[in-house]
Amino acid sequence: MPSDLPKPATKPAPDFALEDAAKAQGFARIAGVDEVGRGPLAGPVTAAAVILDPARLPEGINDSKRLSEPARLRLAAEIKQMALAWSIAHATVAEIDQLNILHASLFAMDKALQALAPAADFALVDGNRLPPAMAQPAQTVVKGDARSLSIAAASILAKVERDRIMRELALEHPDFGWDRNMGYPTAQHREALIRLGPTPHHRISFAPVRKMLC
């Protein structure tokens, strides 16, 4: 018997509307820029920039947080193959501690954007802050990875690359569970931090790590 209950609303998928609006203003190569890794206690912040080819869009691009790991891996490979340009950049733990996490994230996003070849002439940047002294005109997009296909593609590349890095670091420091928590402050990570102390990959400017050094 069919139910009369309303179906739960589904979040709309990102589209190309913001890119089309930029093209209507005369821009030809529009990049999406995003970062991952602001919240973890360890590891870099990783950013990516992508200029998609409107004629060759991989099917299923979405906010990386809405995708399964197999879907992210498939899409990352397809984005790299089909995009007009893509790049990945990092802010190291030392840079995070020196700049603070916000400015390190902006630094990584700008570094990824400037590494594109061919260069972008306009950027859609996830969030509400632009990197200072950007070389291109740009627009911030709050929750951009859920709105713009280009930003969503960047979020996928950044997430896949940072996860790969954290799994490699987990081989050096298996007690922290970085292959599963990716450096976020889970119970296992916090317990290992108390028991073993910080590693060279921990962000000493973050309070849970800093107090281990006091």
Side-chain angles (χ1 to χ4, degrees):
M1 184 174 179
S3 171
D4 293 330
L5 294 175
K7 294 182 179 179
T10 57
K11 294 182 178 179
D15 58 31
F16 224 60
L18 292 171
E19 290 86 342
D20 287 339
K23 287 189 175 183
Q25 298 177 46
F27 298 107
R29 294 186 299 275
I30 294 92
V33 188
D34 199 6
E35 54 74 29
V36 298
R38 288 197 188 193
L41 303 181
V45 168
T46 300
V50 178
I51 303 174
L52 290 173
D53 181 349
R56 300 180 70 217
L57 294 175
E59 184 176 352
I61 292 177
N62 208 329
D63 176 356
S64 63
K65 298 183 290 297
R66 299 186 192 176
L67 298 170
S68 66
E69 183 177 3
R72 286 196 298 267
L73 292 171
R74 173 185 65 81
L75 282 163
E78 292 179 2
I79 290 163
K80 290 177 178 180
Q81 180 182 21
M82 300 166 72
L84 295 175
W86 61 272
S87 64
I88 296 171
H90 310 278
T92 66
V93 167
E95 288 166 335
I96 291 168
D97 289 336
Q98 178 184 2
L99 299 173
N100 78 41
I101 187 59
L102 171 61
H103 289 96
S105 299
L106 296 174
F107 167 75
M109 287 195 285
D110 193 38
K111 188 158 65 166
L113 179 61
Q114 304 315 325
L116 287 171
D121 53 16
F122 189 84
L124 298 168
V125 179
D126 185 60
N128 61 4
R129 294 279 296 271
L130 290 177
M134 284 181 61
Q136 300 89 349
Q139 172 186 346
T140 59
V141 186
V142 175
K143 297 185 179 178
D145 42 11
R147 297 174 57 192
S148 158
L149 280 172
S150 299
I151 295 176
S155 79
I156 292 167
L157 293 193
K159 170 68 173 167
V160 168
E161 178 63 12
R162 189 179 187 280
D163 285 357
R164 183 193 66 77
I165 290 170
M166 295 310 297
R167 289 192 176 100
E168 288 186 358
L169 294 179
L171 298 176
E172 301 175 25
H173 304 279
D175 293 288
F176 294 90
W178 291 339
D179 55 326
R180 296 179 300 280
N181 61 47
M182 304 306 164
Y184 284 87
T186 62
Q188 178 188 5
H189 190 172
R190 287 177 176 274
E191 185 278 328
L193 186 59
I194 293 169
R195 179 165 49 90
L196 300 172
T199 71
H201 307 294
H202 277 98
R203 304 171 180 179
I204 60 174
S205 57
F206 279 41
V209 181
R210 187 172 61 248
K211 71 180 182 182
M212 296 292 103
L213 303 174
C214 297

